[in-house]
Amino acid sequence: MSISGTIKSALGRGSRSSLPPSAVMSNGFSSRQRLQQALDEMVEAREPVDRLALLLIDLDRFDLVNDLCGPAKGDAVLEIVARQRLGSIRTVRSIHLAADKFACLFPFAGDEAIALALADTVQQVIREPILLGEHVVYLTASGGMVIADEPALSADDLLHAASLALSHAQQAGGETVRCFCPEMFTDLDDRTELENDLRTSLMRGEILPYYQPIILLDNSRPKGFEALARWHHPRQGLLGPDRFLPIVDDMGLDRDLLFMMLRQVCRDARDWPAHFTVSINISPAQLCDPDNAVMLLRILFASGLAPGRLIVEITESALIHNLASAHETIRSLRNTGVRIALDDFGTGYASLSRLCNLEIDHLKIDRTLIQSLDREAGRKLVKAVVDLGRSLSMPVTAEGIETPDHARFLRDLDCAFGQGYYFGRPEPADAARTRALSSHP
Ligand code: C2E
Ligand code: CA
Ligand code: CA
């Protein structure tokens, strides 16, 4: 079946309502009209050999620009993207759809690789730094592309397919472009199934913590575990958090997941040697809700686990969005002896002043930095972060250690802790217990 046939038949199945929220156009009607008009004009004007591509662009983490520079400057940035950046590519016709979303239409001759190369040009012009008064804004974009071979396709259908491709690009971590393929509708069906099953699975204990060892690099022994959520789905098998956390958030079940994880984690950790720590992840939104600290502490105290054995891993985006309430949660946790680790350090916007003010106990170097250790610049950066941790008296954990060379390099830097597939993958509670007990006879 042709792509257009697939899009149409899939749309006919009523899958539209299960599109991820990121794919929904907020001021859809007039944007779609403008897009349809542009599409009609381009179909009319194109050479016989030309094909048409629609690239749907979403700026990555644009809310941070609004937060850091203010909404007026945010609007100015969008204007620059629309007029000076996208407008500068001769062959591309761009339409500002809504907020930080743009549609780019372009004719091309040849196969998908040619269209992807043009999509890459779009990403490159967006990546050029934007100077706004005292601010320099660095943007990246995710894109979903669909090739419109059949002119009869409506803007609506094309947007739907491009939206699906875009949500795949975003799930892959952003800053990338995905081209629509019919299997994406199967993924949509899988997501719908997960949405339907999530509530009961949470209640039945089908979602549960797996444990990845955190190793003392000095002697290669585990000193604790990070709890990572896994879903034993009855039909789709073992699912990682990338598959279900976005659905958990969309369905407003994130607190249920957090509290379930903590209950189970406290129960499991009581079986390990008493000096073993356990780390849990808390999302930025959860950190900003002070009620969560109260509930977390209630669960912790009821479990009997010593608070000093619990480490709560936070990411820096929470600190940017709502510093005051994040502070409050952090303070009430730390007052009882719970420790805080700053996760994914080195990927975001944490400034040194923020680090000093925040009363953080540990730094976790993001695995993308460890994966850059084969380059001189990567080694310098990792050394700088380990030195920073030392000068702030914060023990550092390097994540994503995959090779003996990674481990050796970090050990030579006197980095305290390591975590990664080289030492052990996330494993079920009984395997973690065996590992913990056997490492400390
Ligand atoms: P994270 O907190 O940065 O967790 C580390 C992730 O890196 C885990 O992915 C882990 O399996 C993976 N990893 C560990 N060592 C290596 C390595 O050597 N190489 C590579 N390539 N990957 C490695 P996972 O389990 O898929 O979790 C992904 C993210 O989902 C976590 O990133 C965390 O942000 C989030 N997450 C997991 N469980 C929970 C949870 O219960 N609640 C919340 N809010 N977030 C969670
Ligand atoms: Ca983590
Ligand atoms: Ca991490």
Side-chain angles (χ1 to χ4, degrees):
M1 194 189 296
S2 67
I3 289 212
S4 75
T6 314
I7 295 174
K8 282 186 171 144
S9 69
L11 292 181
R13 294 179 305 167
S15 52
R16 194 177 298 247
S17 62
S18 46
L19 265 181
S22 60
V24 175
M25 301 291 131
S26 59
N27 66 346
F29 189 60
S30 62
S31 320
R32 281 199 183 94
Q33 274 188 325
R34 280 186 294 139
L35 186 64
Q36 186 67 62
Q37 193 184 357
L39 201 60
D40 294 342
E41 287 168 14
M42 290 186 92
V43 166
E44 191 90 337
R46 72 178 167 172
E47 302 290 324
V49 290
D50 279 353
R51 308 168 76 188
L52 271 184
L54 166 65
L55 173 67
L56 182 61
I57 284 288
D58 190 324
L59 302 178
D60 299 322
R61 307 211 283 181
F62 190 73
D63 47 342
L64 283 181
V65 175
N66 277 331
D67 289 351
L68 291 171
C69 308
K73 289 212 162 116
D75 287 349
V77 169
L78 292 174
E79 183 77 12
I80 289 172
V81 171
R83 288 191 194 284
Q84 294 176 19
R85 299 296 148 84
L86 298 176
S88 71
I89 313 173
R90 205 174 36 83
T91 47
V92 169
R93 173 140 177 204
S94 66
I95 294 161
H96 191 175
L97 291 173
D100 55 350
K101 284 195 176 62
F102 301 85
C104 298
L105 275 171
F106 50 86
F108 69 101
D111 60 16
E112 191 180 294
I114 309 283
L116 279 169
L118 267 161
D120 192 51
T121 307
V122 170
Q123 282 191 301
Q124 274 174 31
V125 297
I126 291 175
R127 241 181 258 132
E128 283 164 27
I130 294 176
L131 265 171
L132 259 191
E134 76 274 26
H135 295 287
V136 185
V137 178
Y138 297 92
L139 295 175
T140 60
S142 304
M145 191 167 70
V146 60
I147 294 171
D149 278 325
E150 287 157 59
L153 266 182
S154 70
D156 216 21
D157 289 347
L158 288 175
L159 266 180
H160 189 195
S163 298
L164 263 181
L166 174 62
S167 59
H168 276 256
Q170 289 169 324
Q171 275 161 29
E175 214 181 333
T176 185
V177 171
R178 288 283 187 274
C179 207
F180 170 79
C181 63
E183 289 74 38
M184 288 179 177
F185 283 115
T186 319
D187 293 347
L188 198 56
D189 286 343
D190 286 349
R191 182 183 159 110
T192 309
E193 182 179 51
L194 295 185
E195 281 174 357
N196 292 336
D197 295 344
L198 184 62
R199 223 175 278 274
T200 41
S201 281
L202 256 176
M203 283 187 317
R204 284 197 201 127
E206 288 167 2
I207 300 179
L208 72 185
Y210 268 41
Y211 296 97
Q212 185 175 33
I214 298 175
I215 304 292
L216 248 171
L217 286 174
D218 222 11
N219 60 10
S220 297
R221 286 186 171 179
K223 69 97 195 174
F225 293 93
E226 176 175 2
L228 296 158
R230 293 290 181 270
W231 184 352
H232 281 270
H233 191 273
R235 286 170 300 283
Q236 296 187 33
L238 187 66
L239 305 179
D242 55 322
R243 289 288 304 282
F244 61 87
L245 280 186
I247 309 177
V248 169
D249 286 341
D250 291 349
M251 292 179 68
L253 290 171
D254 61 312
R255 280 164 57 94
D256 301 67
L257 178 73
L258 173 68
F259 301 148
M260 178 285 293
M261 285 285 288
L262 184 64
R263 272 190 206 96
Q264 193 56 46
V265 155
C266 291
R267 219 173 284 149
D268 292 336
R270 281 187 321 219
D271 290 345
W272 308 337
H275 60 282
F276 264 63
T277 59
V278 66
S279 308
I280 61 160
N281 291 280
I282 177 164
S283 72
Q286 290 167 338
L287 185 71
C288 293
D289 182 348
D291 289 347
N292 285 337
V294 176
M295 188 64 186
L296 284 179
L297 291 175
R298 199 173 288 162
I299 294 172
L300 176 65
F301 294 147
S303 78
L305 187 80
R309 294 181 60 192
L310 182 68
I311 299 174
V312 173
E313 297 194 359
I314 66 173
T315 55
E316 42 198 294
S317 52
L319 313 179
I320 293 167
H321 281 282
N322 202 339
L323 191 57
S325 46
H327 249 304
E328 199 180 322
T329 313
I330 289 173
R331 205 170 302 125
S332 54
L333 291 172
R334 284 186 94 233
N335 280 344
T336 67
V338 173
R339 281 170 291 165
I340 307 291
L342 188 59
D343 205 356
D344 303 341
F345 187 71
T347 52
Y349 295 76
S351 70
L352 294 182
S353 61
R354 227 176 234 131
L355 270 187
C356 296
N357 293 338
L358 252 176
E359 308 165 289
I360 283 164
D361 304 279
H362 294 270
L363 281 186
K364 295 192 80 172
I365 310 182
D366 191 68
R367 68 168 186 264
T368 52
L369 287 192
I370 304 305
Q371 264 128 44
S372 70
L373 281 180
D374 53 343
R375 295 193 299 275
E376 177 67 17
R379 288 192 289 276
K380 283 189 173 151
L381 203 55
V382 169
K383 179 176 182 319
V385 176
V386 175
D387 287 346
L388 174 68
R390 189 174 304 118
S391 56
L392 294 171
S393 304
M394 288 182 199
V396 174
T397 303
E399 290 190 294
I401 297 182
E402 291 185 352
T403 66
D405 283 349
H406 291 162
R408 198 171 312 118
F409 181 80
L410 288 153
R411 208 172 271 133
D412 290 347
L413 288 182
D414 272 337
C415 177
F417 305 113
Q419 182 180 349
Y421 294 166
Y422 174 62
F423 296 114
R425 288 181 180 251
E427 57 200 10
D430 48 355
R433 180 172 180 272
T434 308
R435 184 192 289 270
L437 296 176
S438 63
S439 67
H440 287 266

